[in-house]
């Protein structure tokens, strides 16, 4: 019984055998062709390196034509072409050359283990200024971020205009696409680079290859999330009722309720005048109060009485007299009595010895 895990694993260093003429001796039945346009500033470079392009494609029996008037490149198969995928590789080659990738790198697409990916980033960000900043973040200071990404993914990356052209192995292209799209979504590429570095170290350990790497990979959280500003006026939906709202009262209904409807014209005018006079009297009163505020004196702070120093403290006269006597006995610069006695004793000992 053979273990299933052994059957699924690919041995290290294994390569798929190359496609040769023996695999397809009769060649292709129909002619296929692809064409692509290139910008005006690429014309001089393409004109210079076109003989090398024809030579590289000639080894795979694919014809290449450069039309400088129309500004296009065309690749076509011939009767000798035996590899059906050669025309797809040739198409990718002219695409990369049109996207400002140098010929030395673009020619690698003709190898079996190399693929390419052109990522369109122009429409991922709305504002042009924001797009330029995020594209510059992908490059990094002096291209350091892009260089680190190239080393970790084994891919050649070219950031040009509204596209990112990547060239390398399939596994590396997958990581490059993820990093580029995350950068355009305002996720800094350094986070993805750290993850790739950890994955690279884990891949070296044969025991960890079959295990999940979730526990080793860092989980970055956004710290400075901007909270959505709540509107000042919130529109609250009222409960749905099938009945229409009550009809507002008319002026006649209000007069009937208050009893004004039954008053005569003179009485109505008198009542209105009384209301106006009452309002005027209130306004005059308010104005007078505001004017009188200027004449109201401010409140004075209460005067704090200072406590008189108590003269009842007893003075010890005898103690002061003793201090004065001691001070008179002592001369300026004289030693205390104890030190004088010790000095006298030392002098006597010295005399006896002599």
């Amino acid at each position: 019984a053979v273990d299933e895990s052994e059957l699924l694993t690919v041995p290290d260093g294994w390569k798929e055998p190359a496609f040769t003429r023996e695999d397809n001796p009769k060649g292709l039945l129909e002619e296929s062709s692809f064409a692509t346009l290139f910008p005006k500033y690429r014309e001089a470079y393409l004109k210079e390196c076109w003989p090398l392009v024809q030579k590289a494609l000639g080894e795979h029996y694919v014809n290449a034509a450069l039309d400088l008037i129309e500004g296009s490149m065309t690749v076509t198969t011939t009767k000798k072409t035996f590899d059906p995928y050669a025309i797809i590789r040739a198409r990718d080659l002219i695409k990369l050359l049109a996207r400002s990738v140098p010929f030395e790198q673009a020619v690698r697409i003709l190898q079996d283990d190399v693929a390419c990916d052109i990522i369109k980033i122009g429409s991922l960000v709305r504002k042009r200024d924001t797009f330029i900043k995020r594209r510059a973040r992908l490059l990094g200071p002096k291209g350091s971020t892009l260089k680190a990404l190239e080393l970790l993914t084994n891919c050649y990356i070219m950031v040009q205009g509204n596209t990112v052209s990547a060239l390398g192995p399939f596994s590396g292209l997958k990581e490059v696409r993820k990093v580029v799209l995350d950068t355009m979504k305002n996720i800094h590429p350094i986070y993805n680079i750290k993850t790739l570095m950890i994955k690279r170290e884990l891949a070296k350990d044969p025991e960890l290859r079959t295990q999940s790497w979730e526990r080793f990979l860092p989980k970055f959280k956004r710290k400075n999330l901007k909270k959505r500003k709540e509107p000042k006026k919130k529109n609250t939906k009222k409960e749905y009722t099938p009945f229409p709202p009550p009809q507002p009262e008319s002026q006649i209904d209000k007069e009937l309720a208050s009893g004004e409807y039954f008053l005569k014209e003179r009485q109505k005018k008198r009542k209105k005048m009384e209301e106006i006079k009452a309002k005027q009297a209130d306004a005059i009163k308010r104005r007078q109060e505001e004017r009188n505020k200027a004449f109201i004196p401010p409140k004075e702070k209460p005067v704090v009485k200072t406590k008189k120093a108590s003269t009842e403290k007893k003075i010890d006269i005898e103690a002061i007299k003793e201090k004065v006597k001691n001070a008179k006995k002592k001369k300026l610069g004289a030693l205390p009595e104890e030190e004088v006695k010790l000095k006298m004793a030392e002098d006597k000992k010295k005399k006896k010895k002599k």
Side-chain angles (χ1 to χ4, degrees):
V2 182
D3 201 10
E4 285 185 11
S5 60
E6 290 180 10
L7 292 171
L8 294 170
T9 54
V10 178
D12 293 333
W14 182 83
K15 282 186 179 180
E16 195 175 342
F19 194 87
T20 57
R21 184 171 281 283
E22 292 171 6
D23 297 317
N24 187 18
K26 292 181 181 179
L28 303 175
L29 189 66
E30 291 288 334
E31 187 185 273
S32 302
S33 66
F34 288 101
T36 186
L37 298 170
F38 60 87
K40 185 75 176 172
Y41 63 85
R42 291 290 289 167
E43 189 178 312
Y45 180 79
L46 291 171
K47 200 175 178 181
E48 192 181 329
C49 73
W50 196 250
L52 297 168
V53 175
Q54 286 178 323
K55 189 184 176 184
L57 292 173
E59 291 173 7
H60 297 270
Y61 304 102
V62 176
N63 285 337
L66 179 68
D67 191 351
L68 296 172
I69 297 162
E70 194 182 337
S72 66
M73 293 178 280
T74 313
V75 285
T76 52
T77 56
T78 59
K79 289 180 181 180
K80 289 183 180 180
T81 310
F82 60 88
D83 186 2
Y85 201 73
I87 188 66
I88 304 295
R89 289 208 183 94
R91 178 202 65 183
D92 291 341
L93 174 65
I94 59 171
K95 264 190 185 180
L96 291 168
L97 289 168
R99 295 283 175 190
S100 298
V101 177
F103 171 74
E104 291 79 13
Q105 292 291 341
V107 79
R108 286 171 54 211
I109 196 69
L110 299 173
Q111 298 171 16
D112 288 339
D113 57 343
V114 178
C116 76
D117 189 11
I118 294 164
I119 307 153
K120 292 179 181 178
I121 56 172
S123 59
L124 296 175
V125 185
R126 284 183 183 180
K127 292 181 182 178
R128 185 69 184 169
D129 295 341
T130 314
F131 168 72
I132 291 161
K133 282 177 186 176
R134 288 181 188 174
R135 188 178 64 183
R137 193 184 291 170
L138 187 65
L139 292 165
K142 295 180 182 178
S144 57
T145 308
L146 197 69
K147 189 69 182 173
L149 199 60
E150 283 180 349
L151 291 167
L152 289 165
T153 56
N154 296 323
C155 293
Y156 173 79
I157 305 163
M158 182 74 185
V159 181
Q160 178 76 12
N162 294 334
T163 56
V164 177
S165 306
L167 185 78
F170 291 98
S171 58
L173 291 174
K174 190 180 174 184
E175 295 294 342
V176 169
R177 178 170 273 273
K178 185 181 178 296
V179 174
V180 170
L181 294 176
D182 282 355
T183 307
M184 290 294 125
K185 288 175 187 172
N186 203 20
I187 298 166
H188 204 282
I190 196 69
Y191 298 127
N192 286 311
I193 286 167
K194 280 183 180 179
T195 309
L196 287 171
M197 286 170 77
I198 293 162
K199 281 182 180 178
R200 194 181 188 182
E201 292 300 316
L202 291 168
K204 291 175 184 177
D205 194 347
E207 291 179 6
L208 293 168
R209 278 185 187 178
T210 53
Q211 294 178 16
S212 177
W213 293 347
E214 289 272 331
R215 56 203 171 107
F216 300 110
L217 299 176
K219 290 174 184 176
F220 301 105
K221 290 180 182 178
R222 288 189 181 183
K223 290 179 182 178
N224 53 346
L225 284 170
K226 287 183 180 178
K227 289 183 179 177
R228 185 177 168 272
K229 289 181 180 178
E230 291 183 359
K232 288 178 181 179
K233 292 180 181 178
K234 290 184 179 179
N235 297 326
T236 53
K237 285 187 177 180
K238 294 176 182 178
E239 290 183 9
Y240 173 74
T241 52
F243 307 106
Q247 199 171 0
E249 286 185 347
S250 64
Q251 191 67 28
I252 295 164
D253 292 336
K254 286 175 183 178
E255 286 178 0
L256 285 165
S258 61
E260 285 180 31
Y261 186 77
F262 303 103
L263 296 172
K264 291 179 182 179
E265 283 293 322
R266 283 181 186 178
Q267 290 173 331
K268 284 180 183 178
K269 281 181 182 178
R270 197 185 302 156
K271 197 177 181 182
K272 278 184 180 177
M273 288 298 289
E274 283 173 3
E275 284 176 3
I276 290 163
K277 281 178 181 178
K279 281 181 183 177
Q280 284 176 350
D282 287 339
I284 291 161
K285 194 180 178 181
R286 250 184 270 119
R287 264 186 246 126
Q288 198 65 38
E289 283 175 1
E290 284 177 6
R291 283 173 189 166
N292 292 339
K293 278 179 185 177
F295 301 104
I296 296 164
K299 289 182 180 179
E300 292 181 2
K301 291 179 181 178
V303 179
V304 181
K305 291 180 180 180
T306 54
K307 290 178 181 180
K308 290 180 181 180
S310 58
T311 55
E312 294 178 2
K313 287 183 181 178
K314 292 178 180 179
I315 299 163
D316 197 354
I317 298 161
E318 291 179 4
I320 292 164
K321 283 180 180 179
E322 282 180 11
K323 282 181 182 179
V324 172
K325 281 179 184 179
N326 293 333
K328 281 179 181 179
K329 285 177 183 177
K330 283 184 181 180
K331 295 176 183 178
L332 286 168
L335 294 165
E337 289 179 9
E338 291 177 2
E339 288 185 16
V340 171
K341 286 176 183 179
L342 288 168
K343 211 168 189 184
M344 292 283 283
E346 283 176 6
D347 290 337
K348 283 179 183 179
K349 284 178 183 178
K350 285 176 182 178
K351 285 177 181 178
K352 284 177 182 179
K353 284 178 182 178
K354 286 177 179 179

